[in-house]
């Protein structure tokens, strides 16, 4: 079992930046894949970015490519999401997720069902 705790959310104006953190504890050595998801009010949860442990080629959903960067610090058991050039449509609750299994590079790796471990979420609000 892995426990995940997100932090770093907040309110910013369009064009601003935020860095989200996800602290992992518990059986972290068994996790081979971590990801960020988000959910806007009234919308389904969507995958944003995913990274396999030790992989230098993360996958991003098209809407955040070139603006968001996912990274991990294995020594600190922490996952990050650097978000630049934020837009109002980036508003939502952001969730960290972890899994023992990596589905491979591509949009299929960002299916919610792939991830049994979830954090409680952190709110990001971008105003225009």
């Amino acid at each position: 079992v892995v426990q995940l705790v997100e932090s770093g959310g907040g309110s910013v104006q369009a064009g601003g930046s935020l860095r989200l953190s996800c602290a992992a504890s518990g059986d972290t050595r068994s996790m081979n894949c971590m990801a960020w998801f988000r959910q806007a009010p009234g919308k389904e949860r969507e995958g944003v970015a995913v990274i396999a442990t030790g992989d230098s080629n993360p996958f991003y959903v098209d809407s955040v490519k070139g603006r968001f960067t996912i990274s991990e610090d294995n020594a600190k058991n922490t996952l990050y999401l650097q978000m630049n050039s934020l837009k109002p449509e980036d508003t939502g609750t952001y969730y960290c997720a972890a899994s023992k299994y990596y589905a491979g590079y591509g949009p299929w790796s960002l299916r919610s069902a792939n991830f049994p471990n979830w954090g409680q979420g952190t709110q990001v609000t971008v105003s225009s």
Side-chain angles (χ1 to χ4, degrees):
V1 178
V2 174
Q3 293 80 40
L4 304 170
V5 179
E6 302 95 334
S7 62
S11 298
V12 296
Q13 289 191 328
S17 298
L18 283 173
R19 188 176 81 154
L20 306 183
S21 298
C22 172
S25 60
D27 190 19
T28 59
R29 294 180 64 182
S30 68
M31 297 296 111
N32 292 309
C33 175
M34 296 192 74
W36 288 97
F37 288 76
R38 66 185 179 188
Q39 188 167 20
K43 295 187 176 181
E44 292 187 355
R45 187 176 299 184
E46 68 164 343
V48 174
V50 59
I51 187 168
T53 300
D55 186 8
S56 61
N57 192 26
F59 180 81
Y60 299 91
V61 67
D62 285 346
S63 59
V64 307
K65 282 182 181 177
R67 300 188 298 121
F68 290 12
T69 302
I70 187 172
S71 63
E72 56 183 357
D73 185 333
N74 291 324
K76 296 182 178 180
N77 289 328
T78 302
L79 180 74
Y80 301 100
L81 185 68
Q82 178 66 44
M83 305 186 295
N84 300 326
S85 302
L86 282 161
K87 304 176 181 180
E89 51 264 44
D90 294 318
T91 293
T93 302
Y94 282 69
Y95 299 90
C96 171
S99 176
K100 293 182 179 181
Y101 307 105
Y102 177 53
Y105 184 88
W108 45 86
S109 64
L110 278 172
R111 293 181 183 141
S112 296
N114 294 351
F115 295 87
N117 303 285
W118 293 84
Q120 83 291 346
T122 186
Q123 178 67 34
V124 172
T125 303
V126 185
S127 58
S128 58

